[in-house]
Amino acid sequence: MVKPSKQIIRPYGDRRDDGVVQLSFTLPVPLSEKAKEAAAVFAKKMGFSDVKVAAAERAADNYTFFVVYARSGMYLDYAEIDVPEVIVKKMSFDDLNAFIKEKVGRRIVVFGACTGTDTHTVGIDAILNMKGYAGDYGLERYPGFEAYNLGSQVPNEDLIKKALAKNADAILVSQVVTQRDVHKDNSRQFIDAAKAAGIHGKVQLLLGGPRVDHKLALELGFDAGFGPGTKPSDVANYIVHALLKKEGKEPHGMHYQGEPT
Amino acid sequence: MPGPFIEDAQIDHARKLAEEIVNPIFDLIRRNTTVSTERTVLRFFGISGAGARGVPLANLMVDKLKAAGVLNKGAAYWYGRALHLGAKSPLEAVEKLTALPTDKLGALPPEQEQNLREEVRAEARAAMEDMKSRIAQREELRKQFPMSPAPHKYVIVATGNIYDDVDQARAAAQAGADVIAVIRSTAQSLLDYVPHGATTEGYGGTYATQENFRIMREALDEESRKLKRYIQLTNYSSGLCMSEIAFCAAYEKLDMLLNDAMYGILFRDINMRRTFIDQYFSRRICAMAGIIINTGEDNYITTADAYDAAHTVIASQFINECFAKRAGLKDWQLGIGHSYEIDPYRDDTLLLELSQAMLVRRCFPDAPLKYMPPTKHKETDIFFSHAYDVMADLVAIWTRQGIQLLGMMTEAMHTPLLADRYVALKSASYIHRAARGIDEEFTVREDGKIANRAREVFGQAMKLLQECRDEGMVAAIGKGHFGDVKREETGGKGLDGVLEKAPDYFNPFLELLEAA
Ligand code: B12
């Protein structure tokens, strides 16, 4: 693939390349002229110029909250940003079911849960349950899928064991709480357990949650990652496509709309 | 006053249905006790310490009595027996009793039994007096430094370290907060004991412990004096230790508690029987201690859709109210929960939210009500999120909410930063100042969207109450009517901590609380 030529960009405030950014932060000092100057110095130390401390507010006796506008001299070459291509085609509910029937020839088995200590089920429910999300049906509703939702606080090993027992094609892990990177630790533990069970690289392993993206999921050892706003149909299309790719029934380099980038 | 919308007789009927729904559950409550209820009794007697490896003494003693198969007579009875064995301190009482072989635990001659109970009753009265004098101190401070007018602006602190929480709470109070909620460590609801001591490394919050309560209340007392405005403190009396936490909170002079008759069942998968029994004793304590309870109906519409499930909130509020009243709580103590949670991308959401909030006000005119901000549909676009919160501020003042949790613009990301609270407090104060009295200026038309929606929701709520009455509460929960969550009567955690009372069961604190 030919790389496009250089495309230098900077933040856009009011005019092209003015480099204007807005910042807000709190300093643990009482509001005063000195505090305002400290905020300006802090912004300059970060490399900003034309620093304007727009607001300095007494957030409490000993804390001042600042809103700062400043310019950055930084720029980047947009052409060098490398992200896999997206969007070719996403099938409708009926088309995808017909496609599964024709190409896969059986129901695709998926297991999902919110694992570890996390109790947030709304995200995984949105993907798996009948009702779905934002008017988009969940996987349970697809005749082409056999979906099992194990709920919340499921130990990683349990999810894997139950998925194995039904010969699952894909396992869906949801992680919502991210304090102290607990989602990463738990996800790594899931991957270790998947490796121990010998399913890593065999069963499609999907990670999802509000602070998850495809890149993070890949780094953690999953096959794909899905973030905020994911629709169940994105996940359904992706799984079918990944399955066919794995079985060699679909050309490489083919991408479906909704496939994580 | 926001509209009649519905007739008083309809509201009376809803209350009657709630009464009939709750009645059979009171049979269960009267016939049974729980390990946590019994531990609360021991805490009342001053057994608040912890033994080896941090196990609370109340747990040691109750577990021993349970293992011996005698807990069904009531921990207070055994506490009296221990005193008779010559125990000089609560700790010694535990030791003496736990050292006793099981065959030494038989009944005493009738007269001695009678005397023992009278002695324990006298001690219970003294303990209760001590408790009441502590609460009187709080009342004194409240009188000296009156609170700001409602809605009381409520914000959370959740650093995981109680000392950092104190700094954040003071800062919030200085920025205008009226109520500070200390968020609890994530897994505490499933612990069948109340941890001991100060928390410095909590996860997602600090443990609800008596010591943490004391530390925070002391700081807020100081801040109240400084600001000349009483700052309230709240925590969570939920999970497997509802009544023990209520005791600790009462003793440490907290002002409010999150306390719901069904939340543990639905959202923490705690056994139904256990929760119903525990909530009763915990609410008896709140009633005595002048603690305002906050119910958790707002949670239903984080799992279920806020528009479709609006009526489940109303139905559950009547049930929660009935449970509360039967535990002796007064209207002013009922922070009945609801929230601003309808998907903001729908049409008419301000009207729909006003309708719901006005309906709740209409049904519970004398309760403070606890209004929650948007959470589920919050976006990481903090500017939109902030505007969204401000709409909830407007509805709160318009419908005269007593307690208003302030929305945080970073809700969809992390627990609040210091500045998030500041920004929320500043704009809520502005809206409250700007719109106070708006409800008296505008009359809501009886044939408009707001009134029609209120009637529709109330009608569905009545149907649901009817169904709960006809089929029973257990079946209704089993069908997932509340929060789209299904639970079974014998499922969930903590059922093994429920036991049937012996005919001579003894609980002098329950006697005192029920007599009040
Ligand atoms: C509802 C809610 C709750 C409910 C959960 C009810 C339930 N059964 O799920 C209750 C009240 C129980 C709750 C409890 C707690 N919560 Co909460 N909660 C929320 C809230 C308001 C909404 C979450 C939600 O439902 N979003 C809607 C769904 C549809 O979005 P989603 O999860 O992102 O899912 C979408 C995508 O991410 C994706 N997706 C998600 N998973 C997966 C998986 C796969 C495989 C795929 C393909 C896609 C996918 O698809 C979904 C649809 O698009 C958020 C705040 C917010 N607005 O985000 C806080 C929030 C998540 N909670 C939070 C916290 C701290 C807690 C508690 C720890 C608080 C406490 N100390 O007790 C406890 C959790 C206890 C525990 N052990 O986990 C924090 C997390 C902070 C952090 N970054 O770590 C948040 C951000 C609030 C805050 N600002 O503090 N919470």
Side-chain angles (χ1 to χ4, degrees):
Chain A
M1 208 169 80
V2 206
K3 274 219 158 158
S5 54
K6 266 182 181 295
Q7 188 189 351
I8 301 300
I9 56 168
R10 282 207 172 100
Y12 184 117
D14 181 42
R15 305 188 59 176
R16 181 164 299 282
D17 291 340
D18 59 13
V20 171
V21 298
Q22 95 207 76
L23 304 163
S24 69
F25 53 87
T26 304
L27 291 177
V29 291
L31 170 60
S32 66
E33 284 307 312
K34 189 172 168 183
K36 283 191 214 172
E37 184 55 24
V41 168
F42 182 64
K44 282 175 200 153
K45 283 197 163 193
M46 288 193 288
F48 292 109
S49 61
D50 266 344
V51 173
K52 288 187 193 70
V53 178
E57 304 257 310
R58 181 195 159 282
D61 291 353
N62 295 313
Y63 297 93
T64 307
F65 173 59
F66 299 96
V67 178
V68 174
Y69 283 83
R71 284 176 200 265
S72 168
M74 291 287 170
Y75 61 86
L76 60 85
D77 183 358
Y78 194 59
E80 279 187 352
I81 304 285
D82 193 22
V83 173
E85 251 174 276
V86 249
I87 305 177
V88 174
K89 183 176 134 203
K90 190 169 125 180
M91 291 186 206
S92 72
F93 182 80
D94 290 336
D95 289 351
L96 187 68
N97 283 312
F99 187 71
I100 295 171
K101 207 167 178 185
E102 183 201 318
K103 292 270 185 161
V104 184
R106 61 177 174 83
R107 293 179 83 194
I108 300 171
V109 180
V110 300
F111 269 74
C114 189
T115 72
T117 55
D118 205 327
T119 56
H120 294 87
T121 51
V122 180
I124 191 75
D125 287 351
I127 303 299
L128 291 180
N129 290 7
M130 284 282 175
K131 196 154 121 200
Y133 183 67
D136 196 82
Y137 292 149
L139 265 54
E140 272 180 13
R141 179 89 64 134
Y142 286 74
F145 280 97
E146 189 176 325
Y148 298 88
N149 183 354
L150 303 187
S152 72
Q153 289 188 313
V154 177
N156 286 320
E157 290 76 9
D158 280 15
L159 173 60
I160 291 171
K161 213 164 88 194
K162 292 195 170 129
L164 265 175
K166 289 263 182 194
N167 261 325
D169 297 291
I171 302 181
L172 280 63
V173 176
S174 180
Q175 290 290 281
V176 176
V177 177
T178 61
Q179 272 167 349
R180 297 196 209 158
D181 277 347
V182 61
H183 63 310
K184 293 186 193 166
D185 294 343
N186 184 56
S187 296
R188 286 192 196 99
Q189 205 258 325
F190 174 86
I191 293 296
D192 289 346
K195 284 181 179 157
I199 58 167
H200 192 250
K202 297 194 177 116
V203 177
Q204 282 292 319
L205 304 178
L206 276 57
L207 180 66
R211 294 278 90 75
V212 172
D213 57 33
H214 189 47
K215 195 160 158 272
L216 173 70
L218 292 180
E219 278 165 20
L220 292 167
F222 286 80
D223 296 299
F226 294 81
T230 303
K231 291 188 169 180
S233 56
D234 300 335
V235 181
N237 276 272
Y238 171 78
I239 293 174
V240 175
H241 147 75
L243 195 67
L244 292 178
K245 203 148 97 176
K246 194 183 94 187
E247 293 180 354
K249 294 183 192 160
E250 191 169 279
H252 273 264
M254 180 109 146
H255 286 272
Y256 280 90
Q257 180 182 338
E259 179 171 354
T261 56
Chain B
M1 245 289 122
F5 308 147
I6 41 181
E7 280 159 31
D8 289 348
Q10 290 174 286
I11 301 179
D12 293 344
H13 186 57
R15 289 218 154 78
K16 197 168 146 277
L17 286 172
E19 187 87 33
E20 290 170 21
I21 291 164
V22 163
N23 269 335
I25 296 170
F26 269 83
D27 288 339
L28 172 86
I29 294 170
R30 261 190 303 273
R31 277 190 283 106
N32 296 281
T33 183
T34 67
V35 285
S36 45
T37 301
E38 298 309 318
R39 294 194 300 253
T40 308
V41 166
L42 294 180
R43 283 180 184 271
F44 261 110
F45 283 124
I47 301 180
S48 62
R53 276 171 286 126
V55 182
L57 295 177
N59 281 70
L60 281 179
M61 193 154 157
V62 162
D63 290 352
K64 164 81 182 176
L65 293 170
K66 184 163 176 271
V70 297
L71 185 61
N72 60 353
K73 283 171 83 116
Y77 171 78
W78 294 109
Y79 174 72
R81 284 284 288 263
L83 293 182
H84 269 235
L85 291 170
K88 304 232 162 26
S89 67
L91 182 63
E92 228 183 281
V94 179
E95 282 167 355
K96 289 232 184 262
L97 211 63
T98 47
L100 219 58
T102 310
D103 59 329
K104 289 267 158 59
L105 299 174
L108 303 171
E111 196 179 327
Q112 277 186 41
E113 283 277 310
Q114 197 53 37
N115 290 344
L116 181 145
R117 280 164 204 251
E118 277 319 311
E119 282 163 34
V120 174
R121 276 197 185 98
E123 196 169 321
R125 275 194 297 275
M128 195 61 95
E129 284 318 308
D130 175 42
M131 171 71 96
K132 284 185 177 158
S133 71
R134 295 181 62 90
I135 292 159
Q137 294 166 11
R138 182 193 66 197
E139 296 307 305
E140 194 48 44
L141 198 64
R142 283 191 189 181
K143 235 181 264 151
Q144 203 180 344
F145 303 112
M147 297 179 221
S148 308
H152 288 156
K153 298 183 288 296
Y154 171 133
V155 295
I156 66 167
V157 295
T159 66
N161 177 326
I162 191 66
Y163 301 104
D164 289 334
D165 278 354
V166 162
D167 287 347
Q168 299 255 350
R170 284 181 190 267
Q174 290 159 10
D178 301 301
V179 187
I180 303 294
V182 179
I183 299 297
R184 231 163 62 160
S185 269
T186 45
Q188 183 169 4
S189 26
L190 302 184
L191 299 182
D192 212 340
Y193 62 90
V194 178
H196 190 69
T199 307
T200 52
E201 268 187 52
Y203 172 73
T206 52
Y207 283 123
T209 71
Q210 192 166 339
E211 179 63 2
N212 286 339
F213 291 177
R214 192 193 62 73
I215 292 169
M216 185 56 91
R217 189 58 261 175
E218 192 176 274
L220 292 182
D221 279 356
E222 212 179 283
E223 210 58 46
S224 301
R225 289 194 184 94
K226 214 173 76 193
L227 298 167
K228 304 206 177 332
R229 180 166 64 82
Y230 185 80
I231 311 294
Q232 303 177 76
L233 174 60
T234 178
N235 207 289
Y236 296 73
S237 158
S238 57
L240 285 167
C241 298
M242 291 181 84
S243 58
E244 282 180 278
I245 292 172
F247 166 82
C248 297
Y251 196 81
E252 299 303 340
K253 303 174 280 186
L254 266 64
D255 304 276
M256 286 181 197
L257 280 175
L258 201 109
N259 179 292
D260 190 282
M262 295 186 284
Y263 178 86
I265 304 170
L266 300 171
F267 292 90
R268 290 293 180 266
D269 197 11
I270 292 173
N271 175 260
M272 236 183 252
R273 293 181 192 158
R274 172 75 178 260
T275 301
F276 286 140
I277 300 162
D278 281 346
Q279 63 84 29
Y280 175 68
F281 196 40
S282 72
R283 285 179 170 193
R284 276 280 169 207
I285 295 170
C286 292
M288 174 271 302
I291 288 175
I292 293 177
I293 62 160
N294 291 182
T295 67
E297 278 83 2
D298 42 276
N299 290 288
Y300 297 171
I301 48 185
T302 61
T303 46
D305 179 77
Y307 182 84
D308 299 336
H311 65 290
T312 66
V313 169
I314 305 286
S316 169
Q317 289 170 335
F318 280 109
I319 296 170
N320 241 319
E321 178 199 46
C322 188
F323 272 119
K325 287 277 176 77
R326 295 196 51 173
L329 286 153
K330 301 282 180 284
D331 280 314
W332 69 270
Q333 291 176 291
L334 304 184
I336 293 195
H338 63 138
S339 57
Y340 190 107
E341 281 282 24
I342 300 173
D343 180 351
Y345 288 94
R346 293 181 79 110
D347 290 334
D348 300 331
T349 54
L350 181 63
L351 305 185
L352 294 170
E353 297 287 10
L354 268 172
S355 171
Q356 182 79 4
M358 285 175 174
L359 177 61
V360 179
R361 206 0 114 225
R362 171 83 176 98
C363 293
F364 306 94
D366 302 316
L369 307 181
K370 176 203 70 167
Y371 199 43
M372 293 282 288
T375 62
K376 179 174 173 178
H377 298 286
K378 271 294 176 59
E379 295 182 8
T380 44
D381 170 358
I382 55 169
F383 302 106
F384 172 77
S385 174
H386 187 52
Y388 185 12
D389 284 333
V390 166
M391 293 308 250
D393 293 339
L394 180 62
V395 173
I397 186 81
W398 199 323
T399 57
R400 297 192 179 242
Q401 300 298 313
I403 305 156
Q404 186 199 346
L405 273 79
L406 299 192
M408 295 290 133
M409 60 184 184
T410 56
E411 168 65 29
M413 275 167 275
H414 46 236
T415 47
L417 302 187
L418 190 139
D420 298 337
R421 276 186 224 104
Y422 165 72
V423 169
L425 284 161
K426 183 177 178 183
S427 52
S429 301
Y430 157 56
I431 301 295
H432 292 175
R433 195 165 57 236
R436 193 172 295 281
I438 191 168
D439 55 326
E440 284 169 357
E441 298 296 317
F442 290 90
T443 334
V444 178
R445 52 192 294 178
E446 280 290 327
D447 61 348
K449 282 186 180 168
I450 293 179
N452 284 333
R453 168 71 182 167
R455 277 189 285 269
E456 177 195 339
V457 171
F458 187 81
Q460 290 169 343
M462 291 291 270
K463 258 197 220 119
L464 178 55
L465 284 170
Q466 211 106 38
E467 199 180 318
C468 291
R469 199 259 327 254
D470 296 344
E471 298 178 14
M473 211 37 214
V474 174
I477 294 176
K479 284 188 178 167
H481 281 321
F482 300 100
D484 269 356
V485 183
K486 294 183 186 150
R487 303 290 186 213
E488 283 165 28
E489 187 173 2
T490 51
K493 294 142 197 132
L495 179 60
D496 59 350
V498 175
L499 24 136
E500 198 170 340
K501 291 177 184 172
D504 57 350
Y505 172 79
F506 182 51
N507 182 345
F509 294 102
L510 192 60
E511 290 172 11
L512 284 171
L513 292 169
E514 286 183 337

